[in-house]
Amino acid sequence: GQSLAVTKVVDIEEMIYAPKYGLKGQLDASVRVAMHNAGAVGGGGGTELMPLEIKSGKESQSHRAQVVLYTLLLSERYPGDGDIDRGVLVYLQTGKTVGVPAKPNEVAALVQQRNSVATFLERGELPPMFREPETCKRCFTQSACSLYHRAAGGDAASARMGEGVFENLVSHLSASHLAYFTEWEKGISLEEAESVKKQQQAWAQAGPR
């Protein structure tokens, strides 16, 4: 097995933009880590730059996916370190530290999923519901997902989130609630579109000569 030791905190809560991938993220910490193999003779030889994320809840696949995407952001932000292929998760409740390898097939799948979602949003649409009850029951976005689905005219039959799940999340919403949310969402979308336009203009500006 391997043990790791953080030798340097490069930055904390660093916001990184990666136009190449259409991603941005705020990393809890960018750290340099020394890896040590159990039973190895001598030092480990050098350190690796990695994203480190701190979580207060239970372990989740979404946490691992987040760290994998953060390896892409760090690779773009610090090209001198080459391709960063792993990160670290720290769970405060259990004190557990988890190494997260960024496997090429997982990275590709996550980027493809990002591109799929972006395609829907560019058309002013939302992706279809996942419709897997066992997955939906454990999903941390189930409240937001149900709200958007209900505002778009969806019901429990089309949501297929499992018995009683959708109803428990949205049954208290009235027609006026949904109308207010729809208008609020339109305003947020317009504001976001303007923000993206300004970011694109900033990236297109010529640098100092």
Side-chain angles (χ1 to χ4, degrees), residues 31-109:
V31 298
R32 291 206 170 275
V33 174
M35 307 294 296
H36 303 283
N37 292 316
V41 178
T47 62
E48 300 179 32
L49 182 65
M50 298 183 192
L52 184 147
E53 284 297 299
I54 301 171
K55 300 297 181 183
S56 58
K58 298 179 180 179
E59 291 186 44
S60 167
Q61 284 297 110
S62 64
H63 298 162
R64 301 177 71 91
Q66 181 183 10
V67 171
V68 168
L69 290 175
Y70 282 176
T71 64
L72 290 180
L73 295 180
L74 271 188
S75 296
E76 286 290 289
R77 174 67 178 82
Y78 300 98
D81 283 88
D83 291 332
I84 295 165
D85 60 3
R86 53 185 148 183
V88 181
L89 275 167
V90 177
Y91 289 95
L92 297 180
Q93 284 188 351
T94 61
K96 186 177 181 180
T97 300
V98 180
V100 181
K103 299 176 182 177
N105 60 323
E106 293 181 354
V107 173

Side-chain angles (χ1 to χ4, degrees), residues 123-141:
R123 297 199 299 255
E125 302 173 8
L126 290 173
M129 298 283 282
F130 197 63
R131 299 188 176 94
E132 289 287 346
E134 289 306 311
T135 301
C136 291
K137 287 178 184 177
R138 301 190 301 270
C139 182
F140 71 99
T141 66

